[in-house]
């Protein structure tokens, strides 16, 4: 965590409120958040970053039992050695006021031996059209393991994720990460490298 991080807290009645990190301790592992009052409820969810939250539980109609409508961005920004904050989708659940966040994405880690001129890296899970975009996750207080369901007609789904080079370009020997919906990959993964002159 860092001071200023924003989370969205959602009461089980569907009302949602933004909270901001005002204090960070334990080498960034713990943060205290402050915001407006949330409606009293039996259960609360939280989403980081707050901007990833896209809907209330009532929006979900599928029998799979999804709870939160969230977005995994299909265009992401590379940051050497770590993730861009927009791609670190984390979800938490509590019946009190302490949240333990869990990552709700899988991450593809790579480095480029000869990165000169590389504009972007694109990732495709072969045979899947739902690796990013707006969809919903089913979560529960017991294990908090996100269970993605297919996007419906009112949501967006993408079969490819683009990671754009950081300012100054990719660096040789540095690790980079692409966040994607957790997905089985029986048909493998294809990665595309795009250069500044539009050669792939």
């Amino acid at each position: 965590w860092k001071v200023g991080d924003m989370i969205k807290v959602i009461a089980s009645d569907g009302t949602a409120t933004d909270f901001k990190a005002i204090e960070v301790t334990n080498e960034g592992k713990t943060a205290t958040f402050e915001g407006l009052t949330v409606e009293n409820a039996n259960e609360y969810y939280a989403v980081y970053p707050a901007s990833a939250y896209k809907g209330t539980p009532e929006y979900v109609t599928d029998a799979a039992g999804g709870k939160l409508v969230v977005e995994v961005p299909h265009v992401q920004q590379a940051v050497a050695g770590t993730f861009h904050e927009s791609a670190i989708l984390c979800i938490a659940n509590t019946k009190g006021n302490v949240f333990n966040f869990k990552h709700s994405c899988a991450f593809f880690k790579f480095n480029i031996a000869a990165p000169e001129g590389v504009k972007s890296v694109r990732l495709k899970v072969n045979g899947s059209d739902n690796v990013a975009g707006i969809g919903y996750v089913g979560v529960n207080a017991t294990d908090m393991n996100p269970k993605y369901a297919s996007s419906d007609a009112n949501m967006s789904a993408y079969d490819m994720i683009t990671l754009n080079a950081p300012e100054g370009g990719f660096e040789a020997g540095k690790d980079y990460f692409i966040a994607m919906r957790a997905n089985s990959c029986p048909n493998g993964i294809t990665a595309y490298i795009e250069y500044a002159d539009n050669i792939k």
Side-chain angles (χ1 to χ4, degrees):
W1 297 108
K2 64 182 185 299
V3 171
D5 277 341
M6 298 290 294
I7 63 172
K8 185 82 72 174
V9 175
I10 306 101
S12 53
D13 67 356
T15 58
T17 307
D18 286 338
F19 281 73
K20 179 185 286 187
I22 58 170
E23 182 182 8
V24 175
T25 56
N26 194 20
E27 298 180 338
K29 296 177 183 177
T30 305
T32 300
F33 291 86
E34 183 175 80
L36 298 175
T37 302
V38 176
E39 293 294 326
N40 286 329
N42 295 326
E43 194 168 21
Y44 301 95
Y45 295 91
V47 175
Y48 174 82
S51 59
Y53 178 71
K54 300 299 179 183
T56 65
E58 287 77 17
Y59 183 74
V60 176
T61 58
D62 192 277
K67 287 288 186 182
L68 302 173
V69 180
V70 295
E71 181 176 23
V72 177
H74 71 285
V75 178
Q76 301 174 14
Q77 184 65 46
V79 180
T82 186
F83 314 91
H84 189 271
E85 60 186 32
S86 65
I88 312 178
L89 176 60
C90 296
I91 295 174
N93 171 275
T94 187
K95 295 182 183 297
N97 62 1
V98 176
F99 291 105
N100 292 310
F101 283 83
K102 290 189 72 173
H103 286 286
S104 66
C105 288
F107 297 101
F108 179 78
K109 182 174 77 169
F110 68 94
N111 61 67
I112 304 175
E116 184 176 352
V118 175
K119 175 182 174 182
S120 66
V121 174
R122 297 182 182 182
L123 180 70
K124 180 179 177 64
V125 176
N126 302 328
S128 174
D129 60 359
N130 198 25
V131 297
I134 298 174
Y136 65 84
V137 289
V139 292
N140 63 71
T142 303
D143 59 16
M144 278 306 300
N145 290 320
K147 299 166 183 65
Y148 280 97
S150 298
S151 303
D152 67 24
N154 297 314
M155 302 180 189
S156 61
Y158 296 89
D159 65 354
M160 186 177 295
I161 299 171
T162 299
L163 184 74
N164 288 322
E167 187 175 347
F170 289 103
E171 298 179 58
K174 295 288 182 70
D175 288 332
Y176 296 92
F177 298 84
I178 296 175
M180 58 180 280
R181 290 179 178 168
N183 214 323
S184 59
C185 306
N187 298 314
I189 294 173
T190 302
Y192 301 87
I193 295 177
E194 183 176 16
Y195 290 85
D197 53 7
N198 293 323
I199 294 175
K200 295 184 181 62

